[in-house]
Amino acid sequence: MVISISVLDSCEVDLSDSIRPVDSRIWVNAIVGVKDVVKIYVGNTSGVNSGDKAEYRDDAVVKLKVNSGSYNRLVYRIDSTSANKGYYYYGRLENALEGDTLSFMSWIPGSDFDTVKGVTYIPRKPEISEPVVSTSIASTGYFMVDIDLDIPDSLKSSKYFEIRLKEWKYSDINSEYPTIVRDVTLLNDLKLSYGLTWNEKLNSTLFDYSDLEDSNLHLKFKVKNNYSGIKINFELRAVTKDYYDYFKALDGGSIVNSNIINGSGIFAGYAKYSKLYDIK
Amino acid sequence: MKKIIGVFIFIILSCFGTIDAQDSLLLHKVKFRIVNRDLSNALVDLSKATKINIAFNIIDIPEKKISLYAPNYSLKEVLDFLIKGTKLKYTVLNDQVVVFLPKNESDKENIIYGYITDKKSGEKLVYASVYLPVSRTGTVSNDYGFYSLKLNNNDTTVVFSYLGYKSLTVKLSDLNNANLDVNLEKEPDKILDEIIITETKSGVKKLEFYEPEKINIEGLEKMVHIAGEDDIVRYNYVKPGVLTGADGFGGMHVRGGNTGGNIMLLDGVPVYNAQHAIGLFSVFNSSIIKTAKFLKGDFPARYGGGLESVLDVRTRDGNKKKLGGEFDVGIFTVKGVLEGPISDNKSSILLSFRRTYLDIWSKAFSSVLSNEIRKKKFSYYFYDLNMKLNIELNKRNRLYLNLYKGIDNFLNNSQEFKSKDDDLIVLKNDDIWKWGNRLMSIQLNSQLGQKIFVNTTIYNSKYSLNSNSSNISLLPNESSKYFYGGSLLESEINDIGLKVDVDYAINSYNFLRFGTLNIHHEIEPFVYIKNSIINTIPDAPKPDEIKSGIQFFSSNSVENRFYIEDKMSLGNSSLLNLGIHFAVFNNKDMKYKSIEPRLIFSSFLSKNIVYSASIVKMSQFSHLLTNNGLGLPSEILLPSTKRLLPEEVWQFGTGINYDIKDNMNFSVNAYYKYAKNLVEQKRGSSFIISQNSNWEDYIPGGIGKMYGIETQLKYSVDKFRLLFNYTYSKSKRSYKHILDGKFLDYRFSRTHYMNFLLFYEISKKTILSLSSVYGSGNPYTIPTQLTPEGELIYEEPNNYKLPFYQRIDVGVMTKFNVKGTSQELKIGIYNLLSRKNPFYVTFKGTKGFLYNTDFKQVYVFPIFPSVKYRIKF
């Protein structure tokens, strides 16, 4: 009996063979958008057996340059709503524009971490006609929202896209789990392809233009009925290949294709079309 | 004209046998001595010694060793001695002696054919040896106990033998006709004889040469198996090159291949997912197995549809002479068999059942495992039912009706609360899995003349799987939101097949086989894997809700296979099996063809050394998709589609088998495999297989390279039998979407693997067994980095080697007879040293750290005793 119990429950032991240590690295999450505030997160990873704790770093030096211009240092500022995170608010550099090449570098003075670098660009803004939206009562307490949009041929060159849905609140720009939106289905000519599967943690989906069977996308989702009305922000982003590969892999929990040289993470650009909808 | 007259005269002379045309020549005194000389050379020596010309045609002279000391005999006496036991005759013509084979003996095509059966039960004996010791050729009985063998001119006797049975020698001169049905008698209970090692008597050794893939069923029940349950699939793990997944779970991986590439046949009918209890047991009830073949490389043309191995299991027909049965109870299972004749000792029926009663144990465990903050409910059982009806329609035709049904049922619920006084659920797991097979077949055996045997089979093979799993956990730092991870898997496969196999024993040097297999497949896989954030536990998606909006993917296809193979004896020491297997797969969208050559060669380099080589190509049109690498029943079978190409493999093998002594044998085999279009599911948080999803995007095909060297040593002395295997192997995969196609170690590969098996006969009725297994650690994927946002980064698949696998099992088995019944008691201990062999690795730890202690190795089987009792009547 005792033996059988051990078979069924908590049959765990420490891994007796040592795991080869892997060094920690500087980690960067830098997604730069056209006419958006430039926010870059820098931290260090915890490598296996490295002894380092994975954390955000406020002591890093972060520099950015546009095209062939000179590197400009970014300023560190603590976000008032989240004391644990640091982000760098871009104050003196002009907003990056479509087509611009961005270069990035960072290091942590006094540490053993290698200097990290990255290169990306800003894609062309997706120009689409305004999506058609309709709402209906889904069930008690919920609306069903339908958004119909066209992805024209002109966007073919941009190739990679992301759709995001978020409840929009003035004070809630970085909601970690925006779960106001539920049961999203995304149909393209009645085909639900893997590339269009909704990621509920990020409330977004990534897709490749070549995944589409035709130009029509049909987005359907539920929202909770707030009787005073809610605002849903719809975004269609054109993203770089690095962005697409990185978040696809991360979503898959498999190999993460970092484009940070000597480090981990992502440095990528996007350009967006967005529309705010009042749901009542 | 002259020729005809000459022949006529010769015939006249022959009819008179030995003719004293010139007595004086034959009365000539001879002083002659030879030691162990071939007959043909002895005649030459005799001619030289007597200076009398002795003429003969070398083709007529059989291979026969002779020793003779003739100090002062007549030539006639010496010749009589030399040709004794052969069909040769001699005469004197023109001052010379002519030794010849009488014309009627040399021209007539002599064939013997018939069935080989067990004398006591009437059971047909499959792969029994039929051997001609003079001409040193032979054959084996086929899958239904039938044999056909052309005799050579010099053959005087034929020997029938079968492991565990007394050999029978029949004088050919005693036969009145060519039909020779033979009944063999079992040896008295020889507990250890030929468990592992076949004694090198010429007949038995020849059997190995002809049918090396036959599994020794007698050895199966003498080994220690987990929970005391004999299992033919697990028995194969004793063979070099055959591995399990993780600690016995996860299917059978042969020479670095995928478990989905194994063809499992039950009385000729394919079985999809032949696993109970996720690989601990198979669907093959050992109590009713008559014989089994296992091939891992040398696939003759008659097999097709799988890349890695063939396990061909044949069940017993049932006792045709009297009613009998057996009952068997162990710590996990109970099983029974009932068999007996139907009428006139020509037909029989066999019924068997097997069921675990683990669900009874598990209810008790569940209550023990539950406590104030954790409620646990766990239940598992499986059952098998077999029925076989065997009807002799007439002397040449026999009908079989086979039925099998098996079900596995697994339930696991657990809930964990925040604290004793707080009913907030922090963790909830639900798993409900049900899967099973149903097989039905009608087979007709027809004997057409002396040389041709035809088997026609119509069958239905159905497999279904229903599994619903969900894991809901309270998010850290969130008091009211939950992470939901769920999967819904359903799979239904329904095959209707028609097979015709023809065996044609052309002569003793050519055995032709050809046939066709035509299958209609209906495959309906459904996969829905999803992760999401939910507000409350009742918000978790329900199976009906998930399925209601989705159209199931369904595939109807037809597969046609044709083959022809010729097993040729090249002289007395070489065998060549040359064949071609042709397959066509089509449905409404596409058509695939495959031409698969098969070449298998073996040859005696010397009396004790056999060399073998093979080149085969195999293909399969179905793909087994696993999503966790543990061989759980969440494996889904998918058909080939326009974008999911058929899998293919080329395999090259060569080896040497060496009888060092009569009781010691050593073999070494090397192989290389190259495979294409192997499927591997991309890891992902969401995955849907349905009519409307481009799921093929998620299952890219890759390349596999597998190679290795397998060695085996067998030794027997007195009461000991020893078997030792060592395998060095590598198995690699390359997928374009992973590190740009870099070749990486396959998840279920072990570079070094060895096992050791020892039997000791304590007494005539009692045997002790000891086995040990060692394998280097499996590759496993672990994260290498943790980001400040709590994401685990996996940079390379299979980047870590688990600790090595090692296990020692001991057991004792004793047999005794009580009041007309035969009884057996087995006691065993699995994993005697209670080594915590790794099953998989979990990651736990404080956010922000990725230390060694964050990784935990999960094990399943510590020390595991078992007891089993059997009674046969």
Side-chain angles (χ1 to χ4, degrees), chain A residues 129-199:
Chain A
S129 45
E130 186 171 320
V132 175
V133 177
S134 59
T135 56
S136 57
I137 303 290
S139 55
T140 306
Y142 286 92
F143 281 121
M144 184 65 83
V145 182
D146 251 288
I147 300 180
D148 233 335
L149 65 149
D150 264 335
I151 309 289
D153 283 349
S154 56
L155 295 188
K156 194 173 177 181
S157 57
S158 298
K159 199 155 171 24
Y160 301 104
F161 297 93
E162 184 184 44
I163 288 177
R164 289 186 164 212
L165 289 175
K166 206 161 67 176
E167 186 193 5
W168 189 88
K169 292 178 185 172
Y170 282 110
S171 60
D172 185 20
I173 298 170
N174 289 317
S175 169
E176 197 169 329
Y177 297 115
T179 55
I180 188 77
V181 171
R182 291 187 56 204
D183 297 343
V184 179
T185 58
L186 194 60
L187 299 177
N188 167 238
D189 192 23
L190 300 180
K191 292 232 180 254
L192 181 69
S193 74
Y194 170 67
L196 301 181
T197 308
W198 193 258
N199 184 321

Side-chain angles (χ1 to χ4, degrees), chain B residues 48-78:
Chain B
K48 285 178 186 169
T50 57
K51 295 184 175 33
I52 294 171
N53 202 24
I54 300 176
F56 58 89
N57 186 342
I58 189 132
I59 296 171
D60 292 338
I61 307 300
E63 287 186 36
K64 181 184 168 185
K65 293 282 187 197
I66 297 174
S67 296
L68 169 66
Y69 175 55
N72 194 25
Y73 289 176
S74 67
L75 179 60
K76 182 177 182 305
E77 285 169 317
V78 174

